[in-house]
Amino acid sequence: MPSSPPVPEPASGPAVVGPQDPETAAVERARRLTDVVTRLRRTLRSSIRTDYPWESLPMAQVELLQTLAAAPLRVGELASRQRLAPNTVSGLVGKLLEAGFVDRQADPGDRRTARIALTPAGRRQLDDWQRAHERRIATALDALSPADRDAVMHALPALENLARALAEPVL
């Protein structure tokens, strides 16, 4: 008697069935989370550009604008916070300077260096980006079942804790 083909696992179900050692289970959880986060970011980015064609800022530039929204910073400080090489941040800052989204200001603590600050145009761009993403995510959340929407919202505190844990240096 021929065996029937395997039934694919539902999207919300476990990816691996059967006993596993704790390390394998941890790696599998990390793989699934990485996959979901990557797909969420990619899908959001592409849907935003379809729904809001004016939104063309690369994510690395948006992340710099988000960091600068709190306060002006030196390039080295930006690089450290973004965990990027200073020359990479310098290139991104150059693009943002050309676009008029940031400017250089004298550093009151050290006149030999400059701080990068958000301009009013940069603030508007960041606010527009934020509103477009909020509208897109709100629409997608509304399309979910109430149980899935509640599950996503209940997961947020744990995801925030995970983000904090990932930001801490590995010892």
Side-chain angles (χ1 to χ4, degrees), residues 27-70:
V27 169
E28 179 60 22
R29 286 191 304 270
R31 185 203 59 77
R32 287 188 68 202
L33 182 58
T34 299
D35 179 56
V36 169
V37 168
T38 300
R39 285 186 294 128
L40 278 170
R41 285 186 62 153
R42 185 181 310 122
T43 303
L44 180 60
R45 189 171 51 244
S46 67
S47 70
I48 287 293
R49 291 195 175 132
T50 299
D51 296 347
Y52 307 97
W54 50 262
E55 176 48 62
S56 61
L57 225 66
M59 195 62 205
Q61 291 179 17
V62 170
E63 289 171 351
L64 286 183
L65 293 178
Q66 289 172 323
T67 301
L68 291 170

Side-chain angles (χ1 to χ4, degrees), residues 20-171:
Q20 291 183 331
D21 66 86
E23 185 176 336
T24 302
V27 169
E28 179 60 22
R29 286 191 304 270
R31 185 203 59 77
R32 287 188 68 202
L33 182 58
T34 299
D35 179 56
V36 169
V37 168
T38 300
R39 285 186 294 128
L40 278 170
R41 285 186 62 153
R42 185 181 310 122
T43 303
L44 180 60
R45 189 171 51 244
S46 67
S47 70
I48 287 293
R49 291 195 175 132
T50 299
D51 296 347
Y52 307 97
W54 50 262
E55 176 48 62
S56 61
L57 225 66
M59 195 62 205
Q61 291 179 17
V62 170
E63 289 171 351
L64 286 183
L65 293 178
Q66 289 172 323
T67 301
L68 291 170
L73 296 168
R74 294 183 196 124
V75 169
E77 293 168 325
L78 270 172
S80 176
R81 289 190 187 186
Q82 297 303 116
R83 296 182 181 201
L84 295 170
N87 62 339
T88 301
V89 172
S90 290
L92 292 168
V93 166
K95 299 283 188 200
L96 293 171
L97 283 164
E98 288 172 19
F101 296 150
V102 299
D103 62 12
R104 293 184 195 276
Q105 301 176 341
D107 186 333
D110 183 352
R111 296 282 181 196
R112 297 168 298 168
T113 63
R115 294 186 314 169
I116 308 303
L118 209 55
T119 63
R123 168 55 70 189
R124 282 190 303 277
Q125 181 71 19
L126 184 57
D127 289 346
D128 287 349
W129 181 92
Q130 187 69 32
R131 278 192 301 276
H133 280 72
E134 289 166 356
R135 284 191 301 267
R136 183 65 182 104
I137 291 172
T139 299
L141 283 169
D142 285 346
L144 296 178
S145 70
D148 280 350
R149 188 173 38 252
D150 287 347
V152 168
M153 298 314 293
H154 282 96
L156 291 178
L159 290 171
E160 288 170 348
N161 290 338
L162 178 60
R164 274 192 293 281
L166 287 168
E168 293 175 3
V170 178
L171 300 176

